Amino acid sequence: MSRLAILLTALALISAEAAQAEEPIHLRDMGSFHVGGRLVEISGKPVKEVTFTAGGVPAKIDPNGTYQVEQMYVQYFLPETEKGAYPLLLWHGGGLTGVTYETTPDGRQGWLNYFLRKGWSVYNSDAVERGRAGWAQYPDIFKGEPVFLTVANPFERFRIGDGPGSYDPDPAKRRLMPGSQFPNEGYDNFVKQNVPRWTTTDDATIAAYIAEVDRVCPCILLFHSQAGTFGFKVAQARPDKVKALIAIEPAGVGDPTKVDLLKSIPTLFVYGDYIDRDSRWPKIHATGVAFAEAIKAAGGSADVVDLPKIGISGNSHMIMMDKNNLQVAGLIQTWLASKGLAKP
């Protein structure tokens, strides 16, 4: 274990224990806004008659005209005493929304509140076509069809359960990964967060995230899973505005031909447990590690933390929801401090 890993692990434990007290959050401001998007014209559709309320009077609705689409929703929280050098932007993964970083499915403190208590200005978003960002007609505007997940799918695919067939409606009969830190008792609440997603909206999502960065930053990006591609590519598009990258199990990476654009941005990769027990994650993990090595080869700074290798075991793909989520948050906080980005 490297000296950095030992330091991060030790300080993460201390930080997690301190956070358990959950001292009150004092804000100087909070609010929200929509950002990005474009106007689209639709024509050639028949006029419809719609009754909006049972027993009401029907109204004629002409679907032809101009629509606002591909915007993103952002909610921000600004602490009374700011200790982060820059705002912290939280970007969620596929089929999810900003709820990812709020209260955990079993009711514990999420990363949004943790980093607020550490003095960070936090910007939490619902990306294009998710949650409060809204979505648009398909295939007229969003090409293809939305992808919906069954209740069992995340359990078996996010390394919560031990592979295909591990889910059962009865929590007592589910086959969890050995030593799993995911709160099985909260799984039914977790799947209530799942939303449909499209596989054809990446360009629109990147454009909206760039619009957020242009409005809020300089800043630090913390992103998860599907947002790996978005986080790295946005940083490559705005390298002067992004001061650090925290990639939580990124499912994708940036443009390898433009990796030199990241050489001035310290980057942290964090991976959970059970990578080798999954059919997809060994390759996804290898791709992320290779991208980290490419950043270093370009003269940049990239730290890869495989949690089991530093003594933090049992983490699923949903690290920010696992029972040891504050320990991992403490590790991230310590890393940020080590880069001079957080005050004591």
Side-chain angles (χ1 to χ4, degrees), residues 262-273:
L262 303 176
K263 65 182 179 182
S264 298
I265 306 174
T267 303
L268 174 66
F269 293 74
V270 179
Y271 293 96
D273 212 336

Side-chain angles (χ1 to χ4, degrees), residues 18-30:
Q20 293 293 345
E22 295 194 10
E23 63 276 12
I25 294 173
H26 299 280
L27 300 177
R28 73 176 187 273
D29 195 14
M30 65 177 289

Side-chain angles (χ1 to χ4, degrees), residues 250 253 269 271 282-296 302 304 306:
V253 295
F269 293 74
Y271 293 96
K283 182 177 180 180
I284 297 172
H285 177 267
T287 299
V289 172
F291 196 69
E293 291 300 321
I295 292 173
K296 289 191 284 187
V304 177
D306 289 294

Side-chain angles (χ1 to χ4, degrees), residues 319-341:
I319 295 173
M320 68 296 295
M321 299 180 185
D322 290 333
K323 292 180 179 179
N324 62 352
N325 68 329
L326 297 187
Q327 184 180 8
V328 181
L331 182 151
I332 294 168
Q333 172 72 13
T334 301
W335 181 84
L336 287 165
S338 74
K339 301 300 180 183
L341 297 170

Side-chain angles (χ1 to χ4, degrees), residues 102-250:
E102 298 175 10
T103 308
T104 65
D106 59 333
R108 291 172 293 108
Q109 179 180 195
W111 281 7
L112 191 159
N113 285 7
Y114 173 88
F115 286 109
L116 264 178
R117 288 189 165 97
K118 289 297 181 181
W120 292 91
S121 290
V122 178
Y123 288 71
N124 193 30
S125 56
D126 291 355
V128 172
E129 44 98 331
R130 315 288 175 85
R132 285 176 284 185
W135 53 281
Q137 296 96 318
Y138 65 92
D140 305 271
I141 297 172
F142 289 166
K143 304 306 178 185
E145 296 183 350
V147 177
F148 294 82
L149 299 180
T150 65
V151 170
N153 182 285
F155 190 86
E156 299 173 356
R157 190 164 55 89
F158 289 175
R159 308 196 319 274
I160 299 170
D162 196 0
S166 58
Y167 174 77
D168 192 282
D170 183 350
K173 295 180 181 178
R174 295 171 189 163
R175 296 199 323 273
L176 291 155
M177 287 289 191
S180 172
Q181 292 279 4
F182 188 87
N184 183 40
E185 65 275 21
Y187 182 75
D188 293 342
N189 282 332
F190 170 58
V191 294
K192 292 175 183 178
Q193 301 176 19
N194 294 167
V195 295
R197 59 169 285 194
W198 279 255
T199 60
T200 55
T201 57
D202 283 13
D203 289 345
T205 302
I206 290 171
Y209 276 136
I210 289 175
E212 182 190 14
V213 166
D214 286 343
R215 174 166 175 163
V216 174
C217 298
C219 59
I220 295 165
L221 307 183
L222 187 157
F223 46 86
H224 174 239
S225 195
Q226 182 202 18
T229 297
F230 305 148
F232 287 119
K233 287 189 175 181
V234 169
Q236 288 174 324
R238 296 291 188 271
D240 58 323
K241 295 186 176 183
V242 177
K243 302 304 179 182
L245 296 169
I246 303 161
I248 308 298
E249 294 215 344

